């Protein structure tokens, strides 16, 4: 865990404390981050109190098979879209015992970008009893930088969702 930046460790510790205080557990549904959210959370001692599970669904087929995302939804909007990350976040809740979830799908590069969705485009979704929300962001840098920024934003957004009720 000492290879993580101190700010990320702090956010993760705050998230764990907020989840523990509510008696909640979280799940992650990850595409472009490839399990980095789950690895970050479980890098903390005591995470078993609040981390339920992580789904790494990189292919579109896996998104559908394991988290119930409609192939038609992926076909209509693309895997990197807010409707798809919202469905991933809901699927992570449905397929786990967690009360909150975070989902990420993006184009980390260096290949795969397009004029409408350039490299660095990341869609994030969060689901909780308060509902589902999503956001599309663009991060600069190489593949590692895009993925690291996505993890930071995913965990910060989940902390805000849990702390906010």
């Amino acid at each position: 865990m000492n290879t993580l930046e101190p700010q990320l460790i702090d956010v993760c510790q705050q998230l764990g404390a907020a989840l523990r205080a509510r008696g909640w557990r979280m799940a992650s549904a990850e595409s472009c981050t490839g399990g980095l959210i789950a690895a970050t959370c479980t890098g903390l001692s005591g995470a078993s109190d609040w981390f339920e599970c992580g789904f790494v669904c990189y292919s579109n087929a896996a998104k559908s098979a394991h988290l119930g995302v409609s192939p038609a939804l992926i076909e209509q909007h693309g895997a990197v879209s807010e409707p798809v990350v919202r469905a991933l976040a809901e699927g992570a809740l449905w397929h786990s015992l967690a009360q909150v979830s975070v989902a990420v799908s993006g184009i980390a590069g260096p290949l795969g970008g397009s004029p409408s969705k350039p490299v660095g485009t990341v869609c994030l979704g969060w689901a909780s009893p308060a509902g589902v929300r999503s956001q599309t962001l663009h991060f600069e840098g190489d593949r590692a930088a895009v993925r690291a920024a996505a993890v930071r934003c995913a965990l910060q957004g989940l902390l805000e969702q849990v702390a906010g009720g």
Side-chain angles (χ1 to χ4, degrees), residues 23-27 52-53 55 92-100:
W24 285 2
R25 298 174 70 76
M26 69 162 280
E52 175 68 22
C53 63
F55 299 91
L93 287 186
W94 182 255
H95 292 90
S96 73
L97 299 175
Q99 291 74 33
V100 294

Side-chain angles (χ1 to χ4, degrees), residues 56-96:
V56 177
C57 296
Y58 206 73
S59 73
N60 291 344
K63 289 171 179 65
S64 298
H66 300 293
L67 293 176
V69 178
S70 163
L73 188 70
I74 296 171
E75 178 69 29
Q76 181 180 3
H77 298 282
V80 180
S81 66
E82 290 191 38
V84 168
V85 294
R86 291 169 69 91
L88 286 167
E90 291 174 320
L93 287 186
W94 182 255
H95 292 90
S96 73

Side-chain angles (χ1 to χ4, degrees), residues 40-42 69 80 88 91 107 109 115 118 127-128 130 142:
T40 299
C41 292
T42 59
V69 178
V80 180
L88 286 167
I107 304 164
S128 74
D142 63 9

Side-chain angles (χ1 to χ4, degrees), residues 31-56:
S31 187
C32 69
T33 51
L36 291 174
I37 294 169
T40 299
C41 292
T42 59
L44 293 178
S45 180
S48 60
D49 292 343
W50 50 270
F51 186 85
E52 175 68 22
C53 63
F55 299 91
V56 177

Side-chain angles (χ1 to χ4, degrees), residues 115-138:
S116 62
K117 294 179 185 176
V119 169
T121 302
V122 176
C123 296
L124 301 112
W126 300 270
S128 74
V132 183
R133 66 183 180 93
S134 58
Q135 182 177 23
T136 300
L137 298 170
H138 186 268

